[in-house]
Structures are given as structure tokens and as C-alpha cells.
């Protein structure tokens, strides 16, 4: 068993990596799960709850996140400044229209621990509306986080692929409703 001094020295010698994440066709919550894992450092073998081992995450294409129609219309964000009459309700579609990065930031904030380190972790999250990421951030990026493949539209399938698609249910002959 190593000494506590050596463990602290090991953690202090670690460098922070920069990760890129493309949010195109991803739900904000799936993006948030991936970001929170990297921001906290849970993906590293030297992770400890009391140590700060997290990395930076650059999320781009935040304006192209995907949500269901119900989520766009009914998911609300609540703000309160603790002053009377300062209670605001903002819908998800309004956040996407005004600042798509804020929609991702708020989602990530839900997945982070609710303690004093949350603010420090959020400062390592960088969100951008589209692919225009500043060069000084891009030159630091060393890894690309995997993302879910975007689904194809029905018009993008060939006739042969549609014909060979497995039939899960078919109407039997002679059956009346």
C-alpha cells in the first residue's frame, strides 16, 4: 500500500485532456451523460470522489440536438433569482432558439453532483452553436468522444433493403376486424 503523499503527488501530476463531442442528432440528456462522466473524471482509473481528475469537453453543433415533439413543447426550465416576482419559465424550444449551448449546459448540470465542485466542473464545459470552434480550443483537443449514429430517413433506403427488411407482423388472410 502506497503512502498518501505519493497518491496526492500522482494525482497532481495528471494532465487534463480535451475531448470533442458532436451533438448532431443526439438528445441533450445523452450528451449530458457523456459530458458529466468526462468532466468528473470517472473514465480515468485514478478517479476519486475527493480529487479533481476531470477533463475538458468541447460540445459543438448544439443547435442540432434532437428531442421528441412532446419534449420541445412541454419541457420547461425554471429560473428564480430569490427575489419576489422573478420566477421565469422557459420552454426547451425557446432555449434552443436563443442559446442552444445553454440547453446542453443545463442538461449537463443535472448530471453533476450537487456540491461545491459543480461550478468548477461546469467551467470546463465549452458549448458552441455550430462547428465554428475557436482554434485555440481545437488545438488543445486530443480525443473525440463516440456518438450515436444518426438514423437514416426512409427515402435513403434502397428498394432492395426495404424488401429484405424483416417482417415483424403481417395481417393474416381471412381475418375480419
Amino acid at each position: 500500500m502506497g503512502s498518501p503523499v505519493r497518491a496526492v503527488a500522482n494525482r497532481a501530476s495528471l494532465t487534463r485532456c480535451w475531448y470533442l463531442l458532436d451533438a448532431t442528432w443526439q438528445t441533450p440528456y445523452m450528451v449530458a451523460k457523456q459530458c458529466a462522466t468526462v468532466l468528473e473524471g470517472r473514465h480515468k482509473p485514478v478517479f476519486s470522489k475527493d480529487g479533481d481528475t476531470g477533463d475538458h469537453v468541447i460540445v459543438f453543433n448544439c443547435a442540432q440536438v434532437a428531442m421528441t415533439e412532446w419534449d420541445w413543447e412541454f419541457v420547461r426550465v425554471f429560473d428564480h433569482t430569490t427575489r419576489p416576482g422573478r420566477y421565469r419559465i422557459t420552454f426547451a424550444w425557446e432555449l434552443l432558439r436563443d442559446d442552444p449551448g445553454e440547453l446542453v449546459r443545463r442538461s449537463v448540470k443535472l448530471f453533476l453532483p450537487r456540491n461545491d465542485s459543480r461550478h468548477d466542473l461546469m467551467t470546463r464545459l465549452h458549448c458552441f452553436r455550430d462547428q465554428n470552434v475557436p482554434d485555440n480550443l481545437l488545438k488543445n483537443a486530443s480525443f473525440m468522444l463516440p456518438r450515436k449514429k444518426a438514423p437514416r430517413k426512409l427515402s435513403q433506403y434502397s428498394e432492395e433493403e426495404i424488401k429484405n427488411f424483416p417482417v415483424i407482423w403481417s395481417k393474416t388472410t381471412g381475418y375480419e376486424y
Side-chain angles (χ1 to χ4, degrees), residues 53-153:
T53 58
D55 296 326
H56 289 264
V57 179
I58 301 170
V59 182
F60 59 95
N61 288 334
C62 290
Q64 298 177 12
V65 294
M67 291 173 79
T68 64
E69 182 180 357
W70 186 91
D71 286 341
W72 285 124
E73 292 179 12
F74 297 109
V75 169
R76 299 181 304 256
V77 178
F78 302 101
D79 283 326
H80 202 290
T81 61
T82 67
R83 309 280 275 170
R86 299 289 188 227
Y87 186 70
R88 287 185 303 180
I89 298 174
T90 310
F91 290 98
W93 62 269
E94 291 173 331
L95 271 179
L96 184 76
R97 180 192 63 200
D98 299 338
D99 184 14
E102 186 64 23
L103 182 64
V104 173
R105 265 185 234 103
R106 287 176 184 261
S107 301
V108 171
K109 199 172 185 179
L110 292 174
F111 284 92
L112 292 175
R114 288 157 179 81
N115 56 23
D116 294 340
S117 68
R118 184 192 249 183
H119 177 73
D120 297 332
L121 296 175
M122 288 299 292
T123 57
R124 286 190 239 128
L125 177 66
H126 312 276
C127 299
F128 296 96
R129 174 183 288 271
D130 47 18
Q131 291 184 345
N132 298 332
V133 180
D135 290 334
N136 61 342
L137 294 181
L138 276 180
K139 72 178 181 181
N140 294 329
S142 52
F143 300 104
M144 182 85 171
L145 289 173
R147 68 182 195 93
K148 193 169 71 173
K149 192 174 179 182
R152 289 195 293 175
K153 296 179 182 176

